[in-house]
Amino acid sequence: MKKYQFLPAILLAIFFVSCSAESDSPLEEVTQLSVMESRYAAIEVTETEELSALPPISLAEAENILNTLHNHTNAKEELFIEKEGNTQLHVIIKQTISNKYAFTIQLNLSSYEDGTLFYNGYENSCSSHVMKWDMNGFSLASSNTEKYTYNFTSNSYLYFKVANNGIRYMKVPVKIQGEYHTDNNNASYTYTL
């Protein structure tokens, strides 16, 4: 008789354990979403055609990527200078984080013999297929403190398609600051999440 009373007690315990395990998952997702919002100023945005083409990732994956980028884990910077003819110049700065995420900024310039420089725009790209990097308001200006130096800044955004009780599109601001030295063709940039 005791065996028959013991069986319902075990089934009831299993039921409560499984219910509490299911409730941890949404709580965990809310916590991860809160971390993205508070730590990285992430906001939810509406779907666009470009964003819908991104593959969905979990909140944990998005947070892990942002943490890696924020900490500049295993950061490596490369500089390439390409010249077209006598005046066209492309200054290409590539940063690779954790041997995985490469972010490239290309400055398109016209450089003349008298030392003047004309800005023809920029291009940017991200090597990762799980996020989109968009730059807005890019500016290039000569430095007030250093001769032969140009400073550039931009407000940019990383976009993620996150699977969290449905699909959400998250936008994370990234501040870009960099320098280009015309005397030695040296350039670099930093970013802040």
Side-chain angles (χ1 to χ4, degrees):
M1 182 81 166
K2 289 185 179 183
K3 288 182 184 179
Y4 294 114
Q5 292 174 346
F6 186 65
L7 183 60
I10 288 178
L11 290 175
L12 190 61
I14 291 171
F15 172 75
F16 283 125
V17 169
S18 68
C19 286
S20 67
E22 287 177 21
S23 66
D24 286 349
S25 181
L27 181 61
E28 205 173 289
E29 288 179 356
V30 168
T31 303
Q32 289 169 336
L33 188 58
S34 296
V35 167
M36 282 182 65
E37 290 170 347
S38 64
R39 185 178 297 164
Y40 303 111
I43 60 170
E44 190 171 351
V45 294
T46 57
E47 179 181 6
T48 65
E49 191 174 322
E50 279 185 293
L51 296 181
S52 66
L54 290 172
I57 60 174
S58 70
L59 277 170
E61 289 173 295
E63 186 187 353
N64 187 40
I65 291 168
L66 291 170
N67 188 44
T68 299
L69 298 177
H70 176 75
N71 293 327
H72 298 269
T73 307
N74 297 322
K76 177 184 170 190
E77 188 169 272
E78 299 172 85
L79 175 65
F80 308 96
I81 306 292
E82 295 178 357
K83 293 185 178 182
E84 288 181 30
N86 292 332
T87 60
Q88 298 306 307
L89 185 66
H90 304 290
V91 179
I92 304 162
I93 312 159
K94 178 180 177 183
Q95 281 198 23
T96 305
I97 310 300
S98 189
N99 298 318
K100 212 179 206 183
Y101 310 109
F103 298 90
T104 304
I105 297 175
Q106 176 177 314
L107 304 175
N108 299 317
L109 308 165
S110 295
S111 177
Y112 299 100
E113 288 182 20
D114 65 357
T116 58
L117 192 67
F118 184 75
Y119 172 61
N120 297 320
Y122 71 94
E123 296 172 34
N124 70 292
S125 63
C126 172
S127 68
S128 176
H129 69 285
V130 299
M131 66 184 128
K132 179 184 179 313
W133 184 35
D134 186 30
M135 292 178 70
N136 296 324
F138 194 88
S139 68
L140 179 75
S142 59
S143 172
N144 294 331
T145 57
E146 290 183 64
K147 195 174 179 182
Y148 307 114
T149 300
Y150 288 82
N151 298 321
F152 58 90
T153 60
S154 178
N155 293 319
S156 70
Y157 300 94
L158 291 175
Y159 293 88
F160 298 91
K161 181 179 184 178
V162 177
N164 173 39
N165 294 330
I167 298 295
R168 292 180 185 221
Y169 298 93
M170 304 302 293
K171 174 173 121 173
V172 178
V174 181
K175 177 83 173 160
I176 304 292
Q177 292 183 307
E179 291 183 344
Y180 170 55
H181 302 273
T182 57
D183 56 343
N184 61 9
N185 281 327
N186 193 13
S188 65
Y189 76 88
T190 59
Y191 65 88
T192 308
L193 283 175

